[in-house]
Amino acid sequence: MESVPVRCPACRRDHAYVTPVYPCPCGEPTAPPLLRGAPVVPITHRTWNDDWVTVRCRGCGRHDQWPQPELCCPCGAVLRVPVRPVASAGAVRPAHIPLPRTAAAPRPAFRPLTIRTARDAVAAAALYLTWLGFRDVTHPVNRPASRIDVRAAGLIAEVDSTTRPTALRDVECLWLNALNGSVRGVLFSLAGYTPEARKRADTLCVPLFVLDLTGTPQPVNGAADELVSTGA
């Protein structure tokens, strides 16, 4: 783990900041590269764009968005720790090609659950994840504050049963929850996704599914295609 000295500009207190390490989808531990010697910046106003930085995985070379490193000083100041810019961060990766089906055994036909209520939508998503091969699939009776509707071994899922397209923030919040738990995050939506949400999901490799009223999920991005192909 990389550590850099940080001085709070508000109270002049010195800190040793250790950069957080997250797993890349390839499995390699990855951390934002800190910019030594650069002054930290107090955060007085937040925007979603400023809360993310581009990080290159040393293992597979992919570029992904990661949380901007921050330090909370005991004086109350929240400090943004500068990160080295990634060369060619805007490089476009090859278009996604769905993997061939590699599930251990052919699955039987999926038997959907008709959706009439929000609870039906959650139950349909849980049923589908079980069909994909995930174990210990559970869903609470009442929606928790975390908005995680379904949990399984190595996976969490959110089910958006509203009549509005799922927004970018929902994708990012789910991804962060999954990252903190070292699990995979999956999104299901009844009304589809905004273009910004789909773009961010592609960047973060979050599988997106659309649920129709018959209860049959349809993959809408490459990560979802891959999940269907490989199973749990």
Side-chain angles (χ1 to χ4, degrees):
M1 293 182 291
E2 184 180 6
S3 175
V4 296
V6 172
R7 172 166 291 182
C8 175
C11 68
R12 313 303 294 175
R13 185 175 305 190
D14 291 322
H15 304 273
Y17 178 79
V18 178
T19 183
V21 176
Y22 304 106
C24 175
C26 75
E28 182 75 12
T30 306
L34 302 182
L35 189 60
R36 289 181 174 273
V40 295
V41 179
I43 299 175
T44 58
H45 176 71
R46 287 190 178 277
T47 66
W48 278 97
N49 286 338
D50 290 339
D51 286 346
W52 301 89
V53 293
T54 301
V55 177
R56 180 181 182 275
C57 175
R58 295 183 180 181
C60 65
R62 67 180 291 135
H63 294 86
D64 272 328
Q65 297 294 300
W66 301 86
Q68 165 71 49
E70 295 178 1
L71 172 69
C72 294
C73 181
C75 75
V78 181
L79 311 173
R80 180 175 290 121
V81 182
V83 172
R84 290 200 307 271
V86 176
S88 302
V92 178
R93 296 193 296 270
H96 173 85
I97 301 175
L99 298 178
R101 184 178 296 277
T102 56
R107 304 186 194 105
F110 177 65
R111 301 179 64 179
L113 173 69
T114 301
I115 296 175
R116 297 183 178 86
T117 67
R119 291 300 310 156
D120 289 340
V122 173
L127 187 64
Y128 188 74
L129 292 172
T130 301
W131 177 75
L132 286 178
F134 288 95
R135 296 177 292 103
D136 304 325
V137 178
T138 61
H139 51 96
V141 175
N142 297 313
R143 194 178 205 196
S146 65
R147 302 181 67 182
I148 302 305
D149 298 292
V150 182
R151 294 182 180 273
L155 177 140
I156 59 175
E158 179 182 339
V159 182
D160 186 354
S161 57
T162 65
T163 57
R164 295 182 179 180
T166 301
L168 178 149
R169 184 171 183 176
D170 293 288
V171 172
E172 293 179 331
C173 288
L174 173 71
W175 180 79
L176 274 177
N177 277 323
L179 195 65
N180 289 334
S182 298
V183 294
R184 185 182 307 182
V186 182
L187 256 174
F188 295 84
S189 176
L190 281 175
Y193 302 85
T194 66
E196 295 80 10
R198 292 188 62 164
K199 183 177 180 181
R200 180 66 82 185
D202 289 341
T203 301
L204 301 177
C205 296
V206 174
L208 303 181
F209 292 87
V210 169
L211 278 164
D212 61 24
L213 294 182
T214 69
T216 304
Q218 297 295 334
V220 297
N221 68 347
D225 285 330
E226 187 169 315
L227 184 62
V228 175
S229 296
T230 60

